[in-house]
Amino acid sequence: MTADKPLHGIGRRKTSVAHVLLDSEKKENTVNKLPVEEYFPTIDMRHAALSPLTITSQGEVFGLRARVNGGGKRSQADAVKLAVARALLIADPKWRKQLKEAGMLTRDSRMKERKKPGLKRARRAPQFSKR
């Protein structure tokens, strides 16, 4: 385990990108310089963002500093989750099995489908009128 310098991880989800530093010296959890409780409005989002630390029992060992931009709050929480999981792997590769089984290391590749020409949205065609 490397305690001398912060561990860095990058996570993405939809259009959100999260850069996370896990620091064993600073124990507070912040996202965009705000406490996690203040930045993520619901308990579900907070739990999602901090779940890799909970699964590996490292919530008391590491402090989280995240810089997130793009997307909505939910996709930002999922991007932070992936970034934290990747940073934890740098700290100790033995956690890979736990994180993999919990689905923390898989990037969710679902994106919004692009709008096609001649349609109103990605698949929504203009209303058909017989007369």
Side-chain angles (χ1 to χ4, degrees):
M1 203 180 300
T2 56
D4 52 342
K5 62 179 184 174
L7 304 165
H8 183 261
I10 298 176
R12 294 181 183 87
R13 168 77 172 103
K14 291 187 177 181
T15 57
S16 299
V17 180
H19 294 269
V20 167
L21 288 174
L22 292 181
D23 200 351
S24 58
E25 317 226 328
K26 297 182 176 119
K27 302 293 188 228
E28 70 274 354
N29 296 327
T30 59
V31 178
N32 289 351
K33 297 182 181 176
L34 290 172
V36 172
E37 295 77 22
E38 202 174 312
Y39 189 79
F40 291 123
T42 66
I43 295 169
D44 188 41
M45 289 182 206
R46 285 179 227 143
H47 176 71
L50 300 174
S51 56
L53 291 172
T54 309
I55 285 175
T56 56
S57 306
Q58 298 300 306
E60 301 297 318
V61 178
F62 290 109
L64 168 86
R65 280 184 295 161
R67 194 178 74 244
V68 189
N69 59 357
K73 294 278 185 173
R74 181 65 217 197
S75 68
Q76 287 181 353
D78 288 340
V80 169
K81 175 173 74 172
L82 179 59
V84 169
R86 286 177 172 175
L88 284 170
L89 280 185
I90 295 168
D92 195 351
K94 287 184 276 183
W95 291 324
R96 182 173 191 81
K97 188 172 189 286
Q98 285 177 274
L99 293 168
K100 189 74 173 172
E101 285 174 356
M104 305 278 173
L105 297 176
T106 306
R107 196 243 194 243
D108 193 344
S109 62
R110 295 176 295 171
M111 299 280 281
K112 185 172 181 175
E113 192 174 338
R114 78 174 201 85
K115 183 193 174 298
K116 315 304 187 302
L119 301 181
K120 290 182 176 281
R121 295 191 304 259
R123 297 180 185 219
R124 171 75 172 103
Q127 188 171 2
F128 176 73
S129 173
K130 202 173 235 184
R131 285 174 195 83

